[in-house]
Amino acid sequence: MGHDIKNLKEAIALLQRAWREASGFFLSIELWLMVLAAAGTVGGAWLAVLGDAWSLPVLVFAFGYIPARMVLHLKRILAWPFI
């Protein structure tokens, strides 16, 4: 990626700098909501295969998150922390 790393100390310093720059994204509520929606999609699909009625509310949450996210962004409640 264009970095001239010659020793372990420089590699660790680059890793720390990259983590500091990306930590706003990894600690944001939006990332964890996306992860939760993805897990809900997989879990809801699995529960539907098993014939469990709990698949309906789980899938409603997972698919309802997409338009809810758009509305929250438009109302400026959610915002990307790294822009």
Side-chain angles (χ1 to χ4, degrees):
M1 300 266 278
H3 299 288
D4 190 24
I5 300 171
K6 293 187 174 30
N7 56 31
L8 186 61
K9 185 177 180 181
E10 290 176 1
I12 291 172
L14 180 63
L15 184 65
Q16 287 175 338
R17 190 171 67 232
W19 172 253
R20 270 189 236 111
E21 291 175 8
S23 66
F25 174 69
F26 289 119
L27 298 176
S28 72
I29 187 70
E30 187 158 6
L31 173 74
W32 296 108
L33 284 173
M34 286 188 281
V35 168
L36 189 60
T41 304
V42 173
W46 179 249
L47 288 173
V49 167
L50 294 177
D52 194 349
W54 276 104
S55 66
L56 293 174
V58 172
L59 286 173
V60 166
F61 165 76
F63 291 116
Y65 169 72
I66 297 167
R69 180 177 154 222
M70 257 191 315
V71 170
L72 292 173
H73 271 287
L74 289 174
K75 290 185 174 185
R76 304 271 183 205
I77 294 171
L78 285 180
W80 291 101
F82 51 85
I83 293 179

